Amino acid sequence: MKTTSAVRAMQMVKQFRHNKSHLTQSSHGQVAPNDLAKSSSSLSDSGINSSPPLCVMNSIDFSADGSLLVTASDDESIHLYDQHLGELKETIYSKKYGVDLVRFMGSSSATVVCASKNCWDHTLRLLSLSDNQYLRYFKGHRDSVVSVAVCPKDDLFVSSSLDNTVRWWDPRTHVCQGMMTPSNPILRAPNSAPPKQRLPLAFDPAGLVLALGASEGIHLFDRRNVDLGPFMTFQIELSEGVHWTYAVFDPTGRYLLMSTNTALIVVLDAITGEKLHSLSSFVNGLGRNVEASFSPGGEFILAGSDDGTIHVWETATGEEITVWSGHEQPVQLVRWNPKLQLVASACSNLCLWLPRSTVD
């Protein structure tokens, strides 16, 4: 199968340490695989390893048109990369608040929503990348924000926090549009505070269904009637101490992927809730929030591992088809470009991957 062969043959063509920024470009303004394959040889060991280690990246995201990639790091920086030129386009610092969970707004590649990364402020912010100005502040959460999902249909977005709440936001106003908590709280002693849990969120490709992972199940909400509660809940049994950390639908809306704080990724039928695959051939001994990714057509799933590798599975069968090597540190973040045959992965380095120029 040609597509599978291309995925097997993906190679890392560039590493960014936030001070390197050039990839070759074809005369038509598109990334040229042949040139990129040659350019990878210029990344000598000394050129890659001589720089001091940078802070770990905590989030990455592609714009809807695939032209831009944004990253956020624990050193309070935001970096914007041009995906056609392969260049670092802009660096923005958020020294006062820190930055986490940076996400492009659905209709624009010029604005992102991001969470604070500190212990005293849990405000979400709408940031203009063109002039480095905060356009709006969204206040309400009382603990760290751990998930942000932007609706692909419009610019409405949803956030969840360790305060066990989910809040709905309209970027045109700072006022929270609605709030909900998991429908069945965990059993606890009377008058005790509810235990903190991550509540991963994901919209389906049509922007009509919101998935919410909670300890009592995976809830599906009709975004037009959220006040009616979930229209469906999938019960997936997890071992003690295992909880959901990340959720994502595939681009066709057929599959729902749920990551956990262990070496376990669960793939569900998004319509029936049937558990299709359990992916566990990677390493997650650090309890990382593994952000896995589907390929643009939904045929493949990618996820990083503690040993610096990236594992690739076939979605239909759950079979692992290849493992890519290149990182020197645990890989938490992997994203497949929604429009280009290009993958980004991140630890303290950002790596870009393309198919080899020759595929058997």
Side-chain angles (χ1 to χ4, degrees), residues 14-16 57 60 69 71 81 344-346 348-352:
K14 190 66 177 177
Q15 283 200 35
F16 291 92
M57 297 180 201
I60 62 176
L69 173 71
T71 71
Y81 297 88
S345 58
S348 61
N349 292 345
L350 172 66
C351 296
L352 301 180

Side-chain angles (χ1 to χ4, degrees), residues 12-316:
M12 187 199 343
V13 296
K14 190 66 177 177
Q15 283 200 35
F16 291 92
R17 285 185 183 269
H18 297 168
N19 61 358
K20 299 178 181 292
S21 59
H22 180 68
L23 287 179
T24 52
Q25 181 189 18
S26 72
S27 59
H28 298 289
Q30 300 295 320
V31 177
N34 290 335
D35 293 337
L36 285 169
K38 295 175 183 177
S39 72
S40 65
S41 63
S42 67
L43 297 176
S44 64
D45 290 340
S46 60
I48 292 177
N49 298 325
S50 59
S51 302
L54 295 177
C55 287
V56 173
M57 297 180 201
N58 55 53
S59 59
I60 62 176
D61 194 33
F62 282 108
S63 59
D65 63 4
S67 64
L68 296 173
L69 173 71
V70 66
T71 71
S73 301
D74 289 347
D75 64 354
E76 302 159 340
S77 65
I78 297 174
H79 291 77
L80 187 65
Y81 297 88
D82 187 307
Q83 295 302 284
H84 292 303
L85 300 177
E87 295 180 348
L88 174 61
K89 185 176 181 180
E90 188 174 2
T91 299
I92 298 171
Y93 286 95
S94 180
K95 292 293 185 181
K96 182 177 181 181
Y97 304 108
V99 62
D100 194 4
L101 291 174
V102 61
R103 298 287 186 266
F104 277 105
M105 298 306 294
S107 63
S108 173
S109 59
T111 56
V112 296
V113 61
C114 54
S116 303
K117 192 172 181 65
N118 56 63
C119 60
W120 52 269
D121 179 83
H122 310 298
T123 302
L124 290 157
R125 293 171 174 80
L126 187 65
L127 173 66
S128 169
L129 297 174
S130 59
D131 54 9
N132 189 20
Q133 296 292 320
Y134 288 118
L135 305 178
R136 195 154 287 112
Y137 297 79
F138 307 97
K139 298 183 178 182
H141 285 299
R142 300 179 180 273
D143 207 331
S144 299
V145 177
V146 294
S147 184
V148 174
V150 179
C151 181
K153 187 176 182 180
D154 50 36
D155 283 344
L156 179 144
F157 66 97
V158 188
S159 60
S160 68
S161 164
L162 291 180
D163 63 9
N164 289 341
T165 66
V166 175
R167 291 178 178 267
W168 294 70
W169 308 94
D170 185 327
R172 295 170 296 183
T173 175
H174 68 278
V175 179
C176 177
Q177 302 298 294
M179 184 185 76
M180 61 184 179
T181 58
S183 57
N184 299 311
I186 302 173
L187 292 177
R188 58 185 187 272
N191 302 320
S192 67
K196 296 180 179 181
Q197 61 172 315
R198 300 184 71 95
L199 302 170
L201 304 163
F203 279 105
D204 78 321
L208 298 177
V209 176
L210 175 72
L212 164 64
S215 58
E216 67 276 1
I218 302 168
H219 305 300
L220 298 186
F221 295 86
D222 183 337
R223 61 149 290 182
R224 299 162 297 184
N225 298 290
V226 178
D227 55 325
L228 300 180
F231 65 84
M232 187 174 294
T233 297
F234 303 148
Q235 301 291 340
I236 306 297
E237 184 176 352
L238 296 175
S239 301
E240 184 177 357
V242 179
H243 56 262
W244 307 119
T245 59
Y246 183 73
V248 63
F249 284 91
D250 84 298
T252 69
R254 179 181 176 183
Y255 302 104
L256 173 62
L257 179 151
M258 302 292 298
S259 296
T260 71
N261 60 323
T262 66
L264 173 65
I265 294 173
V266 177
V267 181
L268 307 173
D269 184 305
I271 305 300
T272 65
E274 178 186 358
K275 182 178 177 181
L276 302 177
H277 311 301
S278 295
L279 312 178
S280 58
S281 55
F282 63 105
V283 183
N284 186 13
L286 304 176
R288 296 172 298 112
N289 173 23
V290 176
E291 296 192 6
S293 178
F294 284 99
S295 59
E299 302 99 330
F300 304 104
I301 297 169
L302 296 83
S305 179
D306 282 358
D307 58 7
T309 59
I310 297 171
H311 294 248
V312 185
W313 298 270
E314 192 168 26
T315 306

Side-chain angles (χ1 to χ4, degrees), residues 320-333:
E320 183 175 88
I321 61 171
T322 191
V323 178
W324 305 340
S325 300
H327 284 276
E328 300 175 358
Q329 298 170 307
V331 181
Q332 176 179 335
L333 309 168

